[in-house]
Amino acid sequence: RSPARARRRGASRRAVGLGTAGLLAGHHVGRHAARGARPTGATPVARAAPDVRAVGPMPVSAATLRLFVALHPEPAVRDAVHAAAAPVRTLLGTAVRWTPARQLHLTLRFLGELDPGVVPPLRDALASACAPHPPLVLALRSLGAFPSRARPRVLWIGVGPADARAGEGHGGPSAMRARAPRRAPPPNAALAALYKDVDRACTMVVGPGERRPFRGHLTLGRVRPGAAFPHLDEPAVAAAAEALSRPIPLSIRSVDLMVSTLGPHGATHE
């Protein structure tokens, strides 16, 4: 392991938890973060005066850290998404670089390469921003793509309200799929509010980010450059994606500040 790689692995995941008593804040050593373990040493603090406690080493000695803020499903939810996407992986095969189940996450804000010195003020800003927010109750469903379903480069599963019928009228999930099989999930107001506060907190510390509409999703994979790829609405793809149209319940209790390290086989997150 190179010294630079070792220094980066010393940088750790920071979690600010969303709880009924307000904010839970803590610091979680990196390797366990990729597995979705709960932050150790998490301490409840008052909403009016957040007191963010760090447990473990601060990220030091690395020239820069590639940072992002994310929400992480519990391991059972990640496994359920991975299993639901299995027919799509089988159909599309090596044309896509698939995200390992352990790295499935919902990005709230990508921060880029930054000096490690921004971590303490960023942690504090995120703690204050997350304090008023209760735990999120969401649902994962529907295969989507960026930039479009006709020319997909990134495949994802969408995030919407826990009620599968929200925004779709009545008749239940089956009726929803029959009427609008290609629609992304309707937006979730609680998730949008959390994103807005997290984005504002990050902007105060590191400056503005990308000015594109927020669309909650978990990235399933990225289409390899030059790979021939079908339209997502082709019957074979739609049939393979049927399991992804069934809502997968998702509860979120923490917001995580993550380090991403690029490698020859893709990024690793800690």
Side-chain angles (χ1 to χ4, degrees):
R1 179 184 302 170
S2 69
R5 172 66 172 162
R7 287 195 297 269
R8 284 180 179 267
R9 291 192 69 85
S12 302
R13 166 178 172 176
R14 298 186 174 275
V16 289
L18 306 172
T20 54
L23 178 69
L24 293 175
H27 179 217
H28 188 221
V29 177
R31 180 170 296 186
H32 299 289
R35 299 172 186 163
R38 293 282 299 167
T40 57
T43 305
V45 299
R47 291 184 182 183
D51 176 20
V52 182
R53 183 165 68 92
V55 181
M58 293 293 293
V60 294
S61 301
T64 61
L65 297 174
R66 192 170 185 259
L67 300 174
F68 65 98
V69 182
L71 308 178
H72 285 84
E74 294 292 330
V77 176
R78 296 199 309 261
D79 291 344
V81 171
H82 191 71
V88 177
R89 290 196 305 274
T90 299
L91 177 68
L92 302 178
T94 59
V96 178
R97 187 173 69 246
W98 300 102
T99 302
R102 67 181 181 278
Q103 289 194 182
L104 290 170
H105 65 276
L106 189 161
T107 299
L108 290 177
R109 171 77 185 266
F110 179 72
L111 301 170
E113 297 279 350
L114 295 170
D115 187 278
V118 306
V119 170
L122 188 56
R123 173 200 61 201
D124 293 344
L126 288 170
S128 297
C130 294
H133 290 272
L136 299 178
V137 180
L138 307 168
L140 301 165
R141 61 180 174 274
S142 301
L143 178 66
F146 296 135
S148 71
R149 300 177 68 84
R151 295 181 297 279
R153 306 311 304 168
V154 177
L155 303 181
W156 45 260
I157 183 172
V159 181
D163 183 356
R165 296 171 294 180
E168 297 289 344
H170 301 284
S174 297
M176 179 189 73
R177 290 196 299 272
R179 287 195 297 269
R182 292 178 294 212
R183 290 185 62 175
N188 179 272
L191 177 60
L194 176 63
Y195 161 75
K196 183 177 180 180
D197 286 348
V198 166
D199 184 60
R200 183 184 296 116
C202 293
T203 297
M204 288 191 303
V205 179
V206 303
E210 295 180 326
R211 296 295 91 186
R212 65 174 65 179
F214 172 69
R215 180 179 293 176
H217 67 278
L218 274 65
T219 296
L220 299 175
R222 299 178 184 275
V223 179
R224 297 184 187 276
F229 206 83
H231 194 297
L232 291 194
D233 293 331
E234 290 189 6
V237 180
E242 171 63 20
L244 291 172
S245 68
R246 304 183 191 117
I248 300 173
L250 169 65
S251 297
I252 295 292
R253 288 188 167 273
S254 68
V255 176
D256 304 319
L257 178 58
M258 303 293 294
V259 177
S260 176
T261 303
L262 298 178
H265 302 293
T268 56
H269 304 150
E270 304 169 309

